[in-house]
Amino acid sequence: MADSKPDRDAAYALKTPEDSVALYREWAKTYDQDFAKANDYRNPQLIAEQFAKRCDGDMPVLDVGAGTGLVGQALTAHGLAPLDALDISHEMLAVADSKGCYRNIIQGDLTGEIDIPDSAYGGVISVGTFTHGHVGPEAIDELLRVARSGALFALGINAEVYEADGFAAKFETLKDRIDGFEIVETYGYGKQADAALQQTRSSVALFRKR
């Protein structure tokens, strides 16, 4: 995986957490320009806006799969703080930390238990983590663990994997643990992206922990 060019196709082809660490180590310094800006990547702003519209003092917020901090920048623009960043990649977190959006930087693998106490957060947001080759629906239990009762969630899930990888079924099993569940669809790439990317949808799961 370390020999693969760091791009969206390589990211979708990831198989293991170790693959993720290797890819994002290489991609960290160029991600914002070579991917986000070049492809008019808008989901960080769109999903942060959905979170901000529903936010009612739901602090602090955990940014899951924070990467280079694009979601942190978007939440900060809405006046939301404090924010903590969680990601598997030390190198991506270093870029995020340099932007000054986050109170704490936490390196951790969401496919296992993360080093965060129970009920630590009033809000949880994730963009770009629940997609091809990354993290599956089983991680939602761990996010619920670190969220307090009433915490606001905004989880961006690639629409192609929402049904196929079991996210829809997972939320069915969580009916007695969450309230106000809704799905909002976003198109995460703007007009500067190629035509195929412009059709890429995210199913944004919005809810509160009961």
Side-chain angles (χ1 to χ4, degrees):
M1 184 58 63
D3 294 331
S4 298
K5 177 184 176 183
D7 58 16
R8 183 172 176 264
D9 289 341
Y12 278 11
L14 295 171
K15 301 296 184 184
T16 68
E18 292 76 19
D19 289 344
S20 295
V21 169
L23 178 73
Y24 288 109
R25 178 189 300 121
E26 186 178 354
W27 207 359
K29 290 183 179 179
T30 62
Y31 181 90
D32 285 1
Q33 290 295 320
D34 291 355
F35 176 74
K37 186 175 181 179
N39 292 296
D40 201 7
Y41 183 46
R42 298 182 176 184
N43 257 347
Q45 293 78 26
L46 295 174
I47 297 175
E49 182 180 1
Q50 293 293 335
F51 184 93
K53 285 196 305 185
R54 294 161 175 80
C55 185
D56 184 20
D58 302 297
M59 300 296 143
V61 177
L62 181 64
D63 179 7
V64 176
T68 61
L70 296 175
V71 172
Q73 289 179 297
L75 290 174
T76 299
H78 285 285
L80 301 183
L83 314 173
D84 290 351
L86 171 70
D87 201 275
I88 197 171
S89 169
H90 170 79
E91 290 78 13
M92 296 288 270
L93 284 172
V95 177
D97 195 24
S98 73
K99 295 178 178 179
C101 301
Y102 296 103
R103 176 186 66 175
N104 295 314
I105 299 296
I106 306 164
Q107 186 174 4
D109 178 2
L110 195 56
T111 65
E113 185 174 347
I114 51 180
D115 188 18
I116 295 174
D118 294 353
S119 305
Y121 291 97
V124 177
I125 188 170
S126 183
V127 178
T129 298
F130 296 110
T131 187
H132 299 282
H134 284 61
V135 178
E138 63 280 353
I140 296 171
D141 290 310
E142 184 70 354
L143 298 184
L144 286 168
R145 179 186 69 79
V146 304
R148 65 177 63 114
S149 179
L152 175 64
F153 279 72
L155 306 181
I157 303 165
N158 185 293
E160 292 180 353
V161 306
Y162 183 76
E163 295 277 354
D165 286 9
F167 287 93
K170 179 63 176 178
F171 285 119
E172 282 293 316
T173 73
L174 294 175
K175 284 184 175 180
D176 62 344
R177 300 177 62 190
I178 63 176
D179 288 317
F181 180 80
E182 61 178 314
I183 291 289
V184 173
E185 299 287 334
T186 64
Y187 286 85
Y189 298 87
K191 294 182 179 180
Q192 295 178 32
D194 64 41
L197 276 182
Q198 288 183 42
Q199 298 306 308
T200 303
R201 293 179 298 113
S202 287
S203 299
V204 185
L206 298 152
F207 58 92
R208 289 185 179 274
K209 178 181 176 179
R210 186 169 296 178

